[in-house]
Amino acid sequence: MKTRKTILSALVLVLLCIYIVQLIVAGRSPIREFDLKGGDEINQITLVSAAQGTVTLNKQDGRWTVGDQAYTTEEGTVGDIVDSILHVRTLGTASRSTGEETMQRFGLDNNSVITVTAYKDGKALRTLYVGKTAATGDQTYLRMDSKNDIYLASGSLRDTFDCSQDSLRSKEIYALSADDLTGLYVSGKKGSFTASKALGENGAVWSLEGAAADGTGTADAAGISGKIAAWASQVANLTAQSWADEATLMPADSEGRIELTAGSNRVSVVVAKIGSGDEAKYLCASSETPYLFYVSKTVAERLIKDAADFTK
């Protein structure tokens, strides 16, 4: 009888242990964090897809560039790419099959997948195979490295990695402080003028020289100064709408040229109109970049002002 009790007690303990293990397994979260060690050492990233081809990012002297020409990149966009490579958070496993039908279903086939590879000195540290966005819109299907598992990962990773070379290039042409501007010169089809800033009793005062500075118009000196000051703050910074193809040439005929003086800095931009009507595009060349770029009609008209605009 004593032996029987001992056996029953032992069985109870075994069953209790099994129950506890089942509870632990049942309560285990499917969420996993895949953090890449040594991520700070990444110095090259490739983004490969059927739609965008191969886009290559390189890091040198702490600065990321894109393409063989080492174009300056948008820091925020590249920062999101790097962070999404270093820190992958999965919410569960969608499939462990690598069959053709499964790959197509999750957007991981050759026509749809975005292959992201991070390197250190030519050695691959991590490869992500980014599939389609899940129905919720904030999760993405992906595979990692040589694993067959297809994970449901947190975040709209397809939006992060589906980048062209042009979208990764910085669009900033120049960034001056409006307070530092002392002179603005415009030469255009409607004439030329110079706006100069001087310090008066009540602070900085802008004045016009050249066209429309002959006293005509209804604006007084204070009104003219205020309008020029507002304009100066608008043209102190310039961002391209997009970059022109390398084969694009700047036409000889242009809408005009603006030159900005800020201390010892002199920045110039030439604006040319390509086409007409609603299809017109505005191609620009600047002293601050060797590459041609486009701006919107609004920006083009802001750069090449008519002096009469300040005297109305």
Side-chain angles (χ1 to χ4, degrees):
M1 194 71 176
K2 187 175 181 181
T3 303
R4 186 180 176 189
K5 282 178 125 183
T6 302
I7 294 172
L8 288 173
S9 298
L11 286 173
V12 169
L13 286 173
V14 170
L15 291 173
L16 180 61
C17 290
I18 292 173
Y19 178 67
I20 291 172
V21 169
Q22 288 178 335
L23 286 177
I24 293 173
V25 171
R28 185 180 297 164
S29 172
I31 296 175
R32 298 179 64 185
E33 305 283 348
F34 295 90
D35 290 335
L36 180 61
K37 296 180 180 179
D40 293 341
E41 299 176 347
I42 292 174
N43 53 25
Q44 186 179 74
I45 297 170
T46 58
L47 311 173
V48 183
S49 66
Q52 305 292 357
T54 300
V55 178
T56 303
L57 289 158
N58 290 293
K59 187 178 184 181
Q60 188 172 9
D61 299 326
R63 185 174 69 96
W64 284 100
T65 62
V66 63
D68 295 336
Q69 296 83 357
Y71 297 126
T72 302
T73 58
E74 289 282 359
E75 292 184 7
T77 303
V78 176
D80 289 342
I81 288 174
V82 173
D83 188 64
S84 295
I85 292 172
L86 297 182
H87 311 291
V88 177
R89 188 169 189 258
T90 63
L91 308 177
T93 303
S95 175
R96 289 186 170 87
S97 170
T98 57
E100 183 178 349
E101 184 179 340
T102 302
M103 293 294 101
Q104 290 179 348
R105 179 153 52 97
F106 292 108
L108 292 163
D109 57 292
N110 292 336
N111 293 327
S112 305
V113 69
I114 303 172
T115 303
V116 182
T117 308
Y119 299 89
K120 175 196 173 185
D121 300 332
K123 178 183 178 182
L125 300 181
R126 168 169 283 179
T127 299
L128 302 179
Y129 302 93
V130 182
K132 70 179 184 180
T133 303
T136 59
D138 197 33
Q139 287 93 37
T140 309
Y141 296 105
L142 65 77
R143 290 175 54 227
M144 286 192 295
D145 301 320
S146 59
K147 297 181 177 67
N148 289 335
D149 303 64
I150 298 175
Y151 296 106
L152 180 63
S154 177
S156 302
L157 300 182
R158 195 161 188 92
D159 292 338
T160 301
F161 295 120
D162 190 14
C163 301
S164 65
Q165 178 172 282
D166 188 68
S167 69
L168 290 172
R169 290 179 65 181
S170 171
K171 304 299 190 300
E172 182 181 283
I173 306 302
Y174 64 80
L176 303 173
S177 168
D179 292 336
D180 293 338
L181 289 175
T182 56
L184 298 162
Y185 170 75
V186 172
S187 176
K189 291 183 176 180
K190 295 182 179 180
S192 303
F193 70 91
T194 299
S196 301
K197 184 172 73 174
L199 291 177
E201 292 181 1
N202 298 318
V205 177
W206 285 94
S207 60
L208 278 177
E209 299 173 15
D214 56 3
T216 60
T218 58
D220 58 15
I224 291 174
S225 178
K227 289 181 179 181
I228 297 176
W231 172 55
S233 67
Q234 293 176 335
V235 298
N237 299 275
L238 181 62
T239 300
Q241 186 177 51
S242 64
W243 293 100
D245 294 335
E246 292 182 12
T248 303
L249 299 176
M250 194 72 180
D253 184 39
S254 70
E255 294 299 293
R257 177 177 183 272
I258 182 173
E259 183 176 295
L260 305 88
T261 301
S264 59
N265 292 328
R266 285 198 172 186
V267 173
S268 63
V269 180
V270 178
V271 181
K273 185 178 180 180
I274 311 296
S276 60
D278 294 337
E279 301 299 319
K281 300 176 72 176
Y282 294 86
L283 182 66
C284 300
S286 173
S287 59
E288 304 308 292
T289 175
Y291 308 109
L292 301 182
F293 57 95
Y294 293 100
V295 297
S296 66
K297 179 181 179 180
T298 300
V299 172
E301 292 177 346
R302 183 185 300 155
L303 291 169
I304 311 301
K305 273 284 192 181
D306 182 358
D309 293 337
F310 303 109
T311 60
K312 294 176 182 178

